[in-house]
Every structure is written in structure tokens, then in C-alpha cells.
Amino acid sequence: QSQFVESGGGLVQPGGSLNLSCTASGLNLDFYAVGWFRQAPGKEREPILCIDRSGRTLNTAQSVKGRFTISRDKAKKTVYLQMNSLKPEDSAIYYCAVDFVGGCTINIDGYDDWGQGTQVTVSS
């Protein structure tokens, strides 16, 4: 049974950066599409970026374009979300999830296994 761990969240000032990490025990993420999502209080969970097993990326959130990037380190079996120029509206719980069957998709229901999330708060 896989167990995802997201890390790297925290409190950051507007304009700052954070680098979130997603790893999984019992599962090699290298073989699957992995997506990052976020959910702010009172809002629906939003897909942000996804990377497939070939390294191709899918950006599904216009609001983060040019500021957030997704990457993977196959040696560390880790997927990262680099977040720059953070804004207060980026504050949310950030989740990673894996699609065991297909590639990247904007359909949240297409992802099969989820982490517990890491809180990101952007505030001065």
C-alpha cells in the first residue's frame, strides 16, 4: 500500500518561494503520472500541474503559469512543485496524487491515490 508524503509547506511572505516535495513509500513514482493540486478554504480542489512518466508536463491552472513548475528527480523518486512569486491567493493545502492508469489529466477523479497535503500560507 502506497503512502504519500508531501513536505515543504509553510508560511512565506508575498513574493517568496517554496519548493514542495512528494514522495511515496512502497511506490516508485517514476512509473506514473503525478499531479499537484490545491484546495483553499471554501473552494473546490484545483489541479495545478502534472508530470507524466516521460517528463511531459501539463499546466492546468492559468493563475500559476510562469510562477510554478513541476519536476521529478528519478534518483530520489520524488516529484517537486517549485513555487515562485507567491501571492496570498496561493494559500491553500497542497496535495500530490498519482494516476496509476493513464497520463496527466485535468480530471481530478482520474487520480487514484492521494497524499494528506501540506499547508501553504502566503502572508505578510
Side-chain angles (χ1 to χ4, degrees), residues 11-25:
L11 174 64
V12 63
Q13 292 187 343
S17 298
L18 286 173
N19 190 24
L20 306 184
S21 300
C22 174
T23 59
S25 60

Side-chain angles (χ1 to χ4, degrees), residues 77-121:
K77 297 178 175 58
T78 300
V79 175
Y80 300 99
L81 181 67
Q82 177 66 43
M83 306 188 295
N84 299 324
S85 303
L86 283 161
K87 304 175 182 180
E89 52 264 42
D90 294 318
S91 297
I93 299 175
Y94 283 71
Y95 301 88
C96 65
V98 66
D99 183 338
F100 291 127
V101 177
C104 289
T105 175
I106 63 172
N107 180 9
I108 289 179
D109 293 335
Y111 292 85
D112 304 295
D113 204 354
W114 294 77
Q116 295 300 307
T118 184
Q119 177 71 49
V120 171
T121 303

Side-chain angles (χ1 to χ4, degrees), residues 1-15:
Q1 184 175 355
S2 65
Q3 182 175 1
F4 285 89
V5 176
E6 300 102 334
S7 61
L11 174 64
V12 63
Q13 292 187 343

